[in-house]
Amino acid sequence: MQSKPPALKILDISSVLVLAIATYLALIYAPEEAVMGQVQRVFYFHIGTAWTGLLGFLFAAGLGIVYLVKQDIKWDIAGVAAVEISAVFFLITIMLGSIWARPIWNTWWTWDPRLTTAAITELIYIAYFMLREGIEDPDRRARFGAVYTLIGGISAPITFFAIRLFRTIHPVVIGGGDPNAQGTFAMTPHMEVAFFFGLFAFTVIFIDLFWNRIRMGQLAAKVEQLKLNLMH
Amino acid sequence: MFPLEAPPDTSAYMIAGYVIFFVIAAIYLISLLVRWRNLNQDMTTLEAIEKDNKRKAEKPSKEQKN
């Protein structure tokens, strides 16, 4: 296997740096929120991981379309990478949201439209990996993955717009939300810096992980091909 | 005038949130490293088997020539 490209090494280091800066901005630089207290700081990573998670699912749907058009396995490898990283990020989003909800909503979980659509989205992509494992033929598996991510991708905009379309208690920090929402707050300029840098940091981390995961997928494809060659 | 109230102490939840973030991130990174290492080991083993098979396939043909 080829050694790591210098650009990827730089991206690895950049990811660690932006994560450290994002953590500093979220925990120290941003002021304490007046009503919710310290737990509001969870919001910066909650939104950052949700942003990359949902965009990653949409990106995977786009890669699925490219695979169906080009029929080249490299697009399937990229699709799997996007889904895997997004699923991890989105799991973190749900867990951070649950931790935030405990002191603010007085419950770990409620079947609110946003929480429900988020949970369904995560389950759709966990099922994606389970179902892929059941298909041995690499071409059939890739075709199935492409169609699945294409259909599954619909869940990402539904989750995003759930708090804008339905009656919900989930706050909408940017743009107007439901008046019944609990935990809404106005961002100060310092909070905005932490918020937007968080979005930037998680985008950089996603790109870095995506590249690394693609390299691993390429290696896995080579190993699989070698196994098939030896069997026949 | 309303009395100024201090915000509630929710720092334990904040700490829990960031601990969970870093723990899940670390588990994912470790899983990537472990999978990468295992794939490299598989690749080395399979390449060795392939070479061995090729050598075995060449040997009888040389013996036939002799």
Side-chain angles (χ1 to χ4, degrees):
Chain A
M1 192 65 194
Q2 288 175 339
S3 62
K4 226 175 215 193
L8 183 55
K9 284 179 187 168
I10 293 167
L11 197 59
D12 285 348
I13 296 163
S14 305
S15 296
V16 175
L17 281 176
V18 292
L19 180 63
I21 296 168
T23 308
Y24 165 77
L25 292 175
L27 296 181
I28 297 161
Y29 180 77
E32 184 181 359
E33 207 274 328
V35 180
M36 291 181 273
Q38 298 288 356
V39 76
Q40 179 274 334
R41 294 182 193 278
V42 161
F43 156 81
Y44 304 109
F45 277 33
H46 173 71
I47 302 288
T49 51
W51 157 262
T52 42
L54 289 176
L55 275 183
F57 291 142
L58 284 177
F59 183 47
L63 291 167
I65 294 171
V66 178
Y67 174 79
L68 291 172
V69 173
K70 305 241 178 191
Q71 299 283 317
D72 188 336
I73 204 78
K74 72 179 180 188
W75 299 107
D76 177 58
I77 291 170
V80 173
V83 170
E84 186 179 288
I85 301 158
S86 301
V88 172
F89 276 165
F90 209 59
L91 177 70
I92 293 172
T93 304
I94 293 170
M95 291 183 85
L96 291 185
S98 179
I99 287 168
W100 172 87
R102 181 66 186 94
I104 306 304
W105 293 346
N106 206 27
T107 180
W108 294 104
W109 188 264
T110 176
W111 293 104
D112 174 82
R114 164 54 73 83
L115 275 68
T116 308
T117 51
I120 290 169
T121 300
E122 184 67 12
L123 290 173
I124 284 172
Y125 288 101
I126 289 170
Y128 166 82
F129 287 105
M130 293 165 77
L131 293 168
R132 272 185 74 97
E133 285 298 305
I135 305 169
E136 279 187 21
D137 177 38
D139 291 330
R140 239 186 100 217
R141 188 169 57 217
R143 210 165 42 249
F144 161 80
V147 174
Y148 193 101
T149 48
L150 200 54
I151 297 166
I154 297 166
S155 65
I158 291 174
T159 304
F160 179 78
F161 287 111
I163 51 174
R164 289 161 177 90
L165 296 174
F166 305 111
R167 188 181 163 87
T168 172
I169 60 164
H170 192 287
V172 182
V173 177
I174 293 177
D178 194 301
N180 297 309
Q182 292 169 32
T184 306
F185 64 98
M187 277 198 284
T188 66
H190 279 58
M191 284 176 172
E192 282 178 357
V193 170
F195 171 72
F196 287 110
F197 191 85
L199 295 185
F200 167 73
F202 280 101
T203 308
V204 172
I205 293 164
F206 181 91
I207 295 166
D208 179 39
L209 288 172
F210 182 59
W211 192 346
N212 277 296
R213 184 59 184 79
I214 283 176
R215 291 182 80 239
M216 200 184 88
Q218 287 168 339
L219 181 60
K222 276 183 190 170
V223 167
E224 192 173 22
Q225 192 56 51
L226 213 52
K227 275 182 188 169
L228 287 170
N229 290 347
L230 286 170
M231 278 195 287
H232 296 116
Chain B
M1 278 285 282
F2 294 101
L4 286 173
E5 273 184 44
D9 182 16
T10 53
S11 48
Y13 292 99
M14 180 203 74
I15 293 165
Y18 280 91
V19 166
I20 279 179
F21 168 80
F22 283 105
V23 166
I24 293 176
I27 289 170
Y28 182 60
L29 286 179
I30 290 165
S31 93
L32 280 178
L33 287 172
V34 169
R35 282 185 286 167
W36 182 263
R37 197 193 58 192
N38 290 345
L39 283 168
N40 268 322
Q41 282 174 353
D42 285 357
M43 193 74 180
T44 312
T45 311
L46 289 167
E47 277 173 347
I49 293 169
E50 198 182 34
K51 265 185 195 170
D52 200 41
N53 284 353
K54 273 183 188 169
R55 210 172 33 229
K56 277 178 187 169
E58 281 169 9
K59 258 188 185 175
S61 60
K62 278 180 185 172
E63 280 168 6
Q64 276 174 355
K65 278 180 188 174
N66 293 334

